[in-house]
Amino acid sequence: MSDLIKLLKHFFTRDIIYILGGSSIIISSLYVFKRLPYDKVNSYYALAAIGFAYIIGYAVQDGLSLVGVITTIPVTNPKSKCLLSLYKRFTNVTFPKKIELNTDIAIDRIIINEVEQEIGEYQRIITLKTLGTSAGPCIFISGIIIMLGVMFKKGGWSDDFDLLLSIFSILIGFTLFILGWIKGMQQAEYLNRRNTAPLSRENKAQYR
């Protein structure tokens, strides 16, 4: 029962990331068109907004993954030298030149060995990758929305706060976007190490 609760907690955390990402797009759009509700919001509208935000966050992530801008799978063969350099700086580990990864076997070994620290570490990598692949692009889009909205609706940068908010959102979104790729590489490298890790002696028979 405790394992089920932990699993649900990780899934719930990722769902929250989708909601936060989608909410940033909704809020930035309402801000540009001066539609932000400053009074008490009806609970039905709030629930609908949360559901819509989840859909936006999920759609942005998977839509961008379809065209190759981001990836939701382990990054086993990064082409960019910049990413490889950033990965080494971020993790202090050189990314392997060749990874032949069997994801199912690697995850099975993590679960069957029942090392709680390893399971938690892997789930944390996945959660942070989701932050980069969903919230990152959403925040970036929010910054673009504010920038375009201010330029075309107000006829220029009439408010320094709008300029700061748009630039800050774009920079944060882009940073999370890059971190999403790095976490995808870290996921692949982590699974690659577990792919060849020995099973616990008492669990070998169960795995076979």
Side-chain angles (χ1 to χ4, degrees):
M1 186 66 181
S2 60
D3 292 337
L4 178 60
I5 293 174
K6 290 177 184 176
L7 184 63
L8 290 174
K9 181 183 72 174
H10 290 301
F11 276 109
F12 182 70
T13 302
R14 292 169 208 166
D15 289 341
I16 289 292
I17 293 174
Y18 291 138
I19 292 171
L20 291 176
S23 296
S24 68
I25 293 180
I26 293 175
I27 292 172
S28 63
S29 300
L30 293 175
Y31 173 76
V32 166
F33 291 99
K34 297 183 179 180
R35 298 288 184 178
L36 280 174
Y38 295 103
D39 299 326
K40 187 176 180 180
V41 179
N42 186 293
S43 57
Y44 294 108
Y45 289 149
L47 287 174
I50 290 172
F52 191 46
Y54 179 90
I55 292 171
I56 292 174
Y58 177 78
V60 167
Q61 174 188 262
D62 280 27
L64 291 178
S65 69
L66 287 175
V67 296
V69 176
I70 61 170
T71 180
T72 57
I73 62 174
V75 181
T76 57
N77 187 27
K79 306 291 185 182
S80 171
K81 292 183 179 180
C82 181
L83 273 179
L84 291 170
S85 177
L86 288 173
Y87 180 83
K88 185 174 182 180
R89 181 179 294 273
F90 184 79
T91 63
N92 203 28
V93 174
T94 301
F95 193 78
K97 292 183 178 179
K98 186 177 181 181
I99 291 183
E100 295 180 356
L101 182 63
N102 189 317
T103 305
D104 293 335
I105 290 178
I107 293 176
D108 282 350
R109 286 176 180 267
I110 293 173
I111 294 173
I112 291 174
N113 275 336
E114 295 180 343
V115 180
E116 187 172 344
Q117 182 179 355
E118 287 193 3
I119 296 174
E121 186 178 351
Y122 180 70
Q123 292 290 354
R124 184 172 182 272
I125 291 173
I126 298 296
T127 300
L128 292 175
K129 186 180 78 169
T130 306
L131 191 66
T133 58
S134 179
C138 285
I139 294 173
F140 184 88
I141 292 171
S142 299
I144 297 295
I145 290 173
I146 295 172
M147 180 177 288
L148 293 176
V150 172
M151 287 176 64
F152 292 104
K153 199 169 182 65
K154 294 183 178 180
W157 297 109
S158 59
D159 191 337
D160 291 338
F161 175 76
D162 293 336
L163 175 61
L164 178 63
L165 182 61
S166 63
I167 293 175
F168 181 76
S169 298
I170 290 172
L171 290 177
I172 291 295
F174 182 75
T175 301
L176 288 174
F177 165 79
I178 296 297
L179 288 174
W181 277 97
I182 291 175
K183 284 297 175 181
M185 295 167 65
Q186 189 177 14
Q187 179 190 9
E189 193 272 334
Y190 186 89
L191 289 175
N192 184 57
R193 283 187 279 121
R194 298 320 183 269
N195 206 41
T196 55
L199 287 168
S200 300
R201 184 175 300 175
E202 62 272 18
N203 286 323
K204 282 185 178 179
Q206 179 184 353
Y207 184 77
R208 291 173 182 171

